[in-house]
Amino acid sequence: MRPMAQIAMVMNLDKCIGCHACSVTCKQAWTDRRGMEHVWFNNVETRPGQGYPRRYEDQEMWRGGWRLNRRGALKLKAGGRLHKLAGIFSEPKLPEIEDYCEPWTYDDRTLAGGPAHGEPDPMVERVRRQASEKVRLAYEQTFMFYLPRICEHCLNPSCVASCPSGAMHKRAEDGIVLVDQDRCRGRQMCVTGCPYKKVYFNHATGKAEKCTLCSPRIEAGLPTVCSETCVGRLRYLGVVLYDADKVTAAASVRDEKDLYEAQLGVFLDPDDRAVQRACREAGIPRDWTEAARRSPVHALISRYRVALPLHPEYRTMPMVWYIPPLSPVVDALTESGHDGEDAENLFGAIDTLRIPLEYLAEMFTAGDTGPVRAALDRLAAMRSHMRALNLGEEPDTAVAAAVGMEPDEIEAMYRLLAIATNEDRYVIPTAAAGDARRLEESALPGGCSLDYAGGPGMGGDGPFGRDSGRRNLPLVSLENFHLLRRRQTSDDAKEA
């Protein structure tokens, strides 16, 4: 066992209203400068739809992620070292600027789910091959939901493996994938290698850039900008422990439909004493293992099993997971004259959701509808159980038993999904004292992936603390690290 810690995220799609507050604030904080006009580290897609950039999910076109060769070994879809060497002076397979354009438009005439945007959706094409009656895209049968996306900060990142200069790297302390701007040579192979197309090329600087998971904020124990400004309170941040020795084997399973369970098998139980002992021996700080025990991400992924990975078939082991949407089923049942929150009605109606299970399965479980159905069943059971409690009735214990849960587990899941405070939704340990100076205060070349001319770390005083990431200025003392955190989180101007 080789335990490592990873900061991960879960998003509850039932709560996303598509307001783009996360996109706009992320843009304001990280990419509001020359050469980054087309770049959105966070964007919200309307599904079904083509995505951003257009049709990024079509890996037959873009060649992102991993594949298995005949011997069962992982190989980059874009080609290995010899292939890259042969084309070192040619541009790799890349989306054009027309494929980016704008991540959304406020055009009421082009509804999501309609033929204009639904037909080119790669997921619609796959579902139609399997179940043509499920996705008709007729107006009266249209469906839609919102999908916020950021970099997945994968356990097995193909962008890192694609980078010929070693500029793209996965940070050992917290698993965040970053780009060293001093080492980047602008080959753009990382853009091709990322199947989610969340690595962007800055044409003004000639460097690759990507979501940093707001690493300066994470180091201070603060949530990401997109999380803190989310209107729907749909994002959860926390520590996940995993066995690094199992990652390659899990990403190499033959059947794509087994990848979800394989990735679950990589995660470690933070309450297991053997895991805790292994973490101590591996040098993982105690506050990180304690944070893993309280992690909402671990709870939603491994304990309640309602969160699912985005496109596990890319074999990158993504670490931003999603709770699939259930909301439309209640309104649909109520409109048909049935009790919209009765357990029997809910369980029976899941198979006839306007959002087909097959479509959700193509996004989250490589086409396997079983885990999607199981997650939706648990969400339906939670609604029925809590409705009974709120009406002063005795909840039917058979509802919880039907989804393999105890009543107290359902109530705990409800508290986390519906009424959790920020302290419960964001369980982020601060950088260890030994890492604080190196992570937050380094002003040496290459010390900060954002520390370059025109970069977001060069703008003076800002939300990440005075002098953070700036050159030719005094270093911030270690004592001020915690002082700045209080300033950033205080509601009292005097205290700040």
Side-chain angles (χ1 to χ4, degrees):
M1 182 192 303
R2 185 160 61 95
M4 297 190 74
Q6 167 93 29
I7 297 288
M9 181 182 286
V10 167
M11 302 192 208
N12 186 354
L13 297 185
D14 249 350
K15 291 185 172 185
C16 185
I17 63 174
C19 67
H20 297 283
C22 51
S23 302
V24 172
T25 51
C26 175
K27 182 77 174 173
Q28 200 81 350
W30 296 108
T31 65
D32 189 15
R33 60 189 185 281
R34 193 169 65 88
M36 303 289 279
E37 291 81 4
H38 69 294
V39 174
W40 296 82
F41 288 168
N42 183 108
N43 69 286
V44 182
E45 299 169 356
T46 304
R47 306 311 301 260
Q50 300 182 63
Y52 186 78
R54 291 193 182 107
R55 293 182 60 85
Y56 73 90
E57 292 161 304
D58 185 356
Q59 301 313 323
E60 296 304 314
M61 177 190 296
W62 301 120
R63 315 298 295 166
W66 302 89
R67 63 175 178 84
L68 293 182
N69 65 10
R70 293 180 181 178
R71 298 189 301 274
L74 285 170
K75 298 293 180 181
L76 290 169
K77 275 194 174 183
R81 293 181 180 178
L82 291 178
H83 179 85
K84 291 177 182 176
L85 185 62
I88 193 71
F89 297 111
S90 62
E91 192 171 87
K93 186 69 175 175
L94 299 170
E96 297 181 0
I97 198 68
E98 290 77 13
D99 295 312
Y100 289 100
C101 294
E102 292 294 330
W104 76 84
T105 60
Y106 295 106
D107 186 351
D108 295 331
R109 292 173 296 179
T110 52
L111 297 175
H117 296 292
E119 295 284 358
D121 183 342
M123 299 302 102
V124 169
E125 291 178 1
R126 291 187 195 176
V127 175
R128 280 183 159 171
R129 288 197 295 266
Q130 301 167 14
S132 59
E133 293 301 308
K134 289 287 186 177
V135 183
R136 298 185 181 182
L137 295 177
Y139 181 78
E140 67 275 10
Q141 293 176 306
T142 192
F143 67 92
M144 61 175 284
F145 63 95
Y146 298 110
L147 179 73
R149 290 202 308 120
I150 64 171
C151 168
E152 295 286 329
H153 296 279
C154 307
L155 298 183
N156 184 37
S158 52
C159 60
V160 173
S162 300
C163 178
S165 65
M168 189 82 68
H169 61 282
K170 185 172 179 66
R171 202 159 69 173
E173 298 85 1
D174 49 22
I176 296 175
V177 178
L178 299 172
V179 185
D180 186 333
Q181 296 291 305
D182 290 326
R183 298 184 66 178
C184 179
R185 296 295 177 262
R187 301 291 186 189
Q188 304 182 65
M189 293 179 182
C190 53
V191 181
T192 299
C194 175
Y196 304 96
K197 290 298 171 279
K198 276 299 173 183
V199 182
Y200 298 88
F201 184 68
N202 186 330
H203 294 276
T205 64
K207 308 283 187 178
E209 297 192 34
K210 61 177 293 298
C211 162
T212 67
L213 203 66
C214 291
S215 53
R217 293 176 61 90
I218 292 292
E219 290 156 15
L222 296 169
T224 60
V225 169
C226 60
S227 298
E228 195 156 56
T229 59
C230 175
V231 174
R233 296 162 61 87
L234 61 94
R235 301 185 188 228
Y236 299 81
L237 282 163
V239 176
V240 173
L241 300 176
Y242 68 96
D243 187 349
D245 288 336
K246 293 183 177 181
V247 171
T248 301
S252 304
V253 296
R254 279 287 182 184
D255 191 342
E256 290 181 344
K257 294 182 178 181
D258 294 333
L259 285 164
Y260 164 64
E261 289 291 342
Q263 187 167 357
L264 283 179
V266 170
F267 299 142
L268 299 173
D269 182 0
D271 292 315
D272 188 326
R273 292 194 175 184
V275 170
Q276 295 173 7
R277 183 169 56 254
C279 288
R280 287 196 300 270
E281 293 171 356
I284 297 176
R286 182 176 178 180
D287 59 336
W288 279 69
T289 56
E290 287 300 313
R293 296 181 65 187
R294 299 183 294 110
S295 171
V297 174
H298 169 75
L300 294 170
I301 290 175
S302 298
R303 189 180 308 152
Y304 305 132
R305 297 187 68 158
V306 293
L308 303 169
L310 183 63
H311 291 302
E313 69 272 19
Y314 298 159
R315 300 181 183 273
T316 59
M317 302 278 117
M319 289 305 292
V320 177
W321 288 40
Y322 295 85
I323 298 173
L326 177 66
S327 287
V329 71
V330 176
D331 293 334
L333 284 171
T334 303
E335 290 170 3
S336 64
H338 296 86
D339 185 346
E341 303 210 10
D342 179 81
E344 293 184 5
N345 292 339
L346 275 174
F347 289 153
I350 286 175
D351 287 323
T352 58
L353 276 173
R354 274 192 170 184
I355 306 174
L357 288 181
E358 290 83 357
Y359 185 87
L360 294 174
E362 286 294 338
M363 293 183 64
F364 299 124
T365 50
D368 185 4
T369 58
V372 178
R373 174 64 196 256
L376 294 175
D377 279 346
R378 293 187 184 99
L379 296 173
M382 180 188 73
R383 290 188 179 186
S384 179
H385 180 91
M386 295 309 301
R387 195 278 296 267
L389 279 182
N390 291 332
L391 293 179
E393 300 172 358
E394 187 68 27
D396 184 357
T397 56
V399 172
V403 294
M405 299 178 73
E406 297 293 332
D408 58 340
E409 286 183 297
I410 285 198
E411 292 165 25
M413 184 171 73
Y414 167 78
R415 286 192 293 272
L416 185 56
L417 290 177
I419 58 176
T421 64
N422 281 7
E423 287 72 21
D424 295 324
R425 291 191 297 122
Y426 311 135
V427 181
I428 310 166
T430 56
D435 290 333
R437 186 177 297 276
R438 178 173 56 82
L439 291 175
E440 177 68 10
E441 301 178 3
S442 175
L444 297 175
C448 175
S449 66
L450 306 172
D451 187 11
Y452 60 95
M458 301 295 289
D461 296 348
F464 313 124
R466 293 188 182 90
D467 301 348
S468 179
R470 297 181 66 187
R471 300 178 188 268
N472 304 321
L473 286 170
L475 294 180
V476 183
S477 68
L478 192 58
E479 292 77 15
N480 280 348
F481 177 82
H482 302 286
L483 197 70
L484 288 171
R485 183 188 175 190
R486 288 196 294 272
R487 181 173 69 84
Q488 292 161 350
T489 58
S490 174
D491 294 327
D492 188 342
K494 291 183 179 178
E495 182 182 339

